[in-house]
Amino acid sequence: MIGEKPVAATTDEVVAELRKRKAFVMVSHVKPDGDTLGAGLALGLALKRLGKRVHYFQADDSVPRNLRFLADADLVSNVVPADLPADALWVFCDMSDTARAGESLPPLSRENILDIDHHLGNSHFGALNYVLPRECSTGTCVMHLLRAMNVPVTPEIATCLLTTIMTDTGGFMHSNTTPEVLLLSAELMGSGADKDQITEEIFANKRLPALKLLGRALNEATLGHDGRYVWSYVDDAMLAECHADGEDTEEIIGHLRSIEGVDVAALFKAYDGEIRVSLRSNGRINVQSAAARLGGGGHFRASGLTFEGSLPEAIAAVDAALVAEGL
Ligand code: AMP
Ligand code: MN
Ligand code: MN
C-alpha cells in the first residue's frame, strides 16, 4: 500500500485473484442501472463458465423492469445465502464507495472486496481496485478482464456488456463514445450482442406513466443563471398523479439537459422519504465536483447525491455548489 489508498490493481493481479477464488458475490449499487447490473452479470456469467459459484446481490427489492431481459437478472437478490464460504470474493461494480451498495450489506473485510469501477474519485475501498476512469463503463473494465482471462464471450455475456456501454454512453451519444468504444461495441455485436433488444428494452418501450411524468416535470422546469441552468423536481404527489414510480424518472434529466443554452441541469427526486439529486453538464461545469461538495459523486458530466433536508434547502445548496464550480 502507498499512503492510505491501495494502488490501482493491474489486470493480471485481478485475473489471478478471480482464478484463485471459488465463490463470488457480484454487488450492484442502489437504484441499479444497466452498467452496474450488466457488468456484474457479465462477469458472473463468465465465472460460472469457469466452474465458479456466483451470486448476485443488490439492496433494492427488484431489478428495474427495463433490465430484466439480461441473462441471470432473475437470480439477482438482496439475500445473501447462509452457506456462502467465508472467503467468497465480493465484487463491487460501478460505485465509488461501499455505501452506494446500500445498507443491507453484511460486514465485509477489505481482503474479500474487489472494486471494479470507472468513476472519478473512487475511494479504492477494496483489497484490489480495478478503477479505470477513462473507460466509458464498468462493463468495458470487465471486458478487459475477460479478454485477459481468455473466457469466450457468449451472446448473453456480450449483450450484458453492450448494455453497459449503451447505458453509460446514452446510446452512443455522450462524449465518452470514443473510437475505442465503438470498436469494442462492434466486437460485442460480432459475439452476438443483441443491440436491437437493448434499444427496445432500454431506449424504446416507454410506459405511458413515465411519459406523463416527464410532461409534469418539464412543466415545472425553471431556468436560472441567464438560462445556463435548469432544474425541476418530482415528488410523491406527481408520481401518484401519473401512476408512475421511481423507475419512470430516468429519462427526465436528459430532456432537461438538452434544452438550448443550458450548461447544467438538475432534477430533484423528492419521494420515498428522501431527496436524491441528478446533475448533468454539457462539459463546461464539473458536476462531479459539485456533487462531491454535498457528499455525492459521479462523473464530470453526470453526477448525483442524496440530500438531508427539505426540497427548498436542496435547491439552494445545489445552486450554491454549482456556482462554486463556475456556473
Ligand atoms: P444518476 O443521476 O442517479 O443517474 O447518477 C449519475 C451519476 O452519479 C452516476 O455515475 C452515479 O453513480 C453517480 N451518483 C448518483 N448518486 C450518487 C450518490 N448519492 N453518491 C455518489 N455518486 C452518485
Ligand atoms: Mn451506475
Ligand atoms: Mn457506470
Side-chain angles (χ1 to χ4, degrees):
M1 284 196 199
I2 298 174
E4 287 184 354
K5 289 180 178 180
V7 291
T10 64
T11 303
D12 287 347
E13 284 170 326
V14 177
V15 166
E17 195 65 29
L18 293 173
R19 289 200 188 285
K20 197 169 86 189
R21 303 274 182 143
K22 293 189 175 65
F24 296 83
V25 183
M26 319 306 302
V27 185
S28 294
H29 62 67
V30 290
K31 312 276 176 201
D33 56 28
D35 190 24
T36 189
L37 275 171
L41 292 168
L43 184 55
L45 288 161
L47 289 168
K48 283 204 223 175
R49 291 181 66 86
L50 298 177
K52 312 281 188 179
R53 177 175 168 184
V54 175
H55 297 277
Y56 305 99
F57 178 89
Q58 67 166 35
D60 299 58
D61 290 330
S62 59
V63 171
R65 288 180 289 273
N66 63 359
L67 295 169
R68 290 185 196 157
F69 72 100
L70 295 172
D72 270 2
D74 54 325
L75 301 180
V76 178
S77 159
N78 54 11
V79 179
V80 179
D83 66 342
L84 189 76
D87 67 346
L89 187 65
W90 292 67
V91 185
F92 288 69
C93 292
D94 195 41
M95 60 195 110
S96 307
D97 52 66
T98 53
R100 291 278 293 146
E103 283 166 7
S104 50
L105 271 182
L108 299 172
S109 72
R110 184 188 274 258
E111 72 194 40
N112 289 328
I113 295 179
L114 165 60
D115 158 26
I116 306 180
D117 189 29
H118 68 133
H119 284 92
L120 293 169
N122 179 292
S123 63
H124 288 217
F125 54 88
L128 288 173
N129 300 282
Y130 196 59
V131 179
L132 309 174
R134 300 171 76 98
E135 294 295 323
C136 75
S137 70
T138 301
T140 57
C141 306
V142 167
M143 209 172 158
H144 299 314
L145 294 172
L146 298 188
R147 194 176 273 170
M149 288 168 82
N150 246 322
V151 281
V153 173
T154 62
E156 290 73 28
I157 294 173
T159 296
C160 288
L161 292 172
L162 189 58
T163 295
T164 73
I165 295 176
M166 289 175 68
T167 299
D168 276 20
T169 63
F172 303 114
M173 285 202 286
H174 299 337
S175 60
N176 56 355
T177 312
T178 59
E180 292 73 29
V181 168
L182 294 175
L183 287 169
L184 289 177
S185 302
E187 187 182 320
L188 291 169
M189 285 183 74
S191 300
D194 194 340
K195 180 188 76 61
D196 294 344
Q197 187 185 27
I198 299 168
T199 304
E200 178 63 22
E201 298 282 352
I202 299 182
F203 296 96
N205 221 7
K206 298 290 165 229
R207 296 191 340 138
L208 183 57
L211 295 177
K212 288 188 173 172
L213 188 66
L214 172 62
R216 281 290 279 118
L218 293 179
N219 221 21
E220 302 294 330
T222 305
L223 288 170
H225 298 280
D226 299 324
R228 285 175 282 112
Y229 176 51
V230 65
W231 65 269
S232 188
Y233 69 96
V234 171
D235 61 15
D236 290 296
M238 286 158 77
L239 289 179
E241 202 180 299
C242 299
H243 303 286
D245 62 24
E247 288 178 35
D248 296 314
T249 64
E250 287 294 305
E251 302 281 297
I252 300 170
I253 187 69
H255 285 273
L256 293 172
R257 225 297 286 138
S258 70
I259 295 168
E260 186 179 31
V262 161
D263 285 338
V264 180
L267 180 67
F268 296 84
K269 295 182 272 192
Y271 51 79
D272 293 346
E274 48 181 19
I275 300 180
R276 285 173 303 108
V277 188
S278 288
L279 298 175
R280 298 291 184 272
S281 161
N282 66 357
R284 190 174 75 78
I285 304 291
N286 181 347
V287 290
Q288 188 265 338
S289 305
R293 287 173 181 272
L294 300 170
H299 308 280
F300 196 101
R301 291 170 182 246
S303 69
L305 61 110
T306 302
F307 188 84
E308 304 282 338
S310 68
L311 182 56
E313 285 165 353
I315 292 165
V318 167
D319 193 290
L322 290 169
V323 167
E325 292 301 325
L327 182 67

